[in-house]
Amino acid sequence: AETIAQECVKACYLGDEQGRAIHLLGPLAGKVIRVSPPLVMPCEEAEQYLDVMYRLFDNVGRASGRP
């Protein structure tokens, strides 16, 4: 779990092919991912970045051999 959490944080830091990156606070206790969103964000932008995060996490899961 720790390796996957670290890879998820790294993937979000590097962002997607469109340069959309997400600031996550490193894995707490090695496996709990903490999100640090802006205090003010339009709903549409939040949805867009949640979709990006989902795709990045999916990529990490696939690369690790997990479904």
Side-chain angles (χ1 to χ4, degrees), residues 32-50:
V32 176
I33 297 173
R34 299 174 291 165
V35 180
S36 178
L39 294 177
V40 178
M41 176 185 251
C43 285
E44 298 81 22
E45 189 175 355
E47 289 175 1
Q48 176 186 15
Y49 276 89
L50 284 173

Side-chain angles (χ1 to χ4, degrees), residues 6-16 20-21 56-57 60:
Q6 291 168 356
E7 288 300 317
C8 286
V9 171
K10 180 180 175 184
C12 284
Y13 175 78
L14 295 174
D16 68 3
R20 296 175 295 190
L56 293 171
F57 284 4
V60 169

